[in-house]
Amino acid sequence: MFIDQLYTEETVDEEVDFYDKEWTKDEFEALMSQQNTEELMQAILFFAQSDVDVKWFGEKLLQLSYDSQAIVRREVAECIWSNMTHQFTEEQNQAFIETFKKDQDPDVRMYVELFEEKLTYSYEMLQEEIKQNIGGVYLTFYLDGYIIIFIMKRNGVLN
């Protein structure tokens, strides 16, 4: 009979790692001096989306913004614009803007205008960007002149 053939299947949620590898600060710094561009770009994204020492990471990205390979400089510019702009200090952002203004690659220079626009976002525009990017729940408020944003995560996944 059909009902006798039904059963309950128990599933176990498996954590899916977005990255094949997780890098330490020392490993990242070593990658910066190697010629493994693909792994370096993966590591940049890993740190941009991790709980990272922002001052340290900003210093490393500034060093990489002078890399001899345009693809690395473009990755740095994209990373800063899409993930890090509002985490860096005004001085760090200005250093990136000045560096990218002088870059020979037009794709890198294009990010200057995007940075400057993003830095002038109103509170409402910043909220809307976050909402579009995460499509989910967040809480924002001001504290001592800073915009504080909490995004709910569960098991490394935005909820």
Side-chain angles (χ1 to χ4, degrees), residues 20 28 30 35 40-41 46 49 55-56 60 70 78 106 120 125 131 137 140 142 154:
D20 295 333
F28 185 78
Q35 295 300 314
L40 176 61
M41 292 185 351
F46 168 77
Q49 297 173 359
K55 184 176 185 217
W56 170 84
K60 299 307 163 195
E78 167 66 24
T120 62
M125 290 170 68
K131 191 174 188 178
V137 179
T140 61
Y142 283 103
R154 183 177 299 137

Side-chain angles (χ1 to χ4, degrees), residues 42-97:
Q42 288 176 4
I44 290 170
L45 288 175
F46 168 77
F47 278 103
Q49 297 173 359
S50 301
D51 185 20
V52 66
D53 175 350
V54 175
K55 184 176 185 217
W56 170 84
F57 191 50
E59 291 168 0
K60 299 307 163 195
L61 290 178
L62 190 57
Q63 289 173 7
L64 288 171
S65 69
Y66 292 98
D67 194 89
S68 62
Q69 297 184 59
I71 192 168
V72 172
R73 297 190 314 272
R74 283 192 299 266
E75 185 68 31
V76 168
E78 167 66 24
C79 167
I80 295 166
W81 177 74
S82 63
N83 296 304
M84 305 295 296
T85 304
H86 291 288
Q87 295 184 46
F88 291 134
T89 65
E90 185 176 331
E91 294 79 22
Q92 286 174 307
N93 282 322
Q94 282 305 316
F96 288 120
I97 289 170

Side-chain angles (χ1 to χ4, degrees), residues 8-14:
T8 302
E9 180 176 304
E10 292 187 31
T11 60
V12 176
D13 290 338
E14 294 181 28

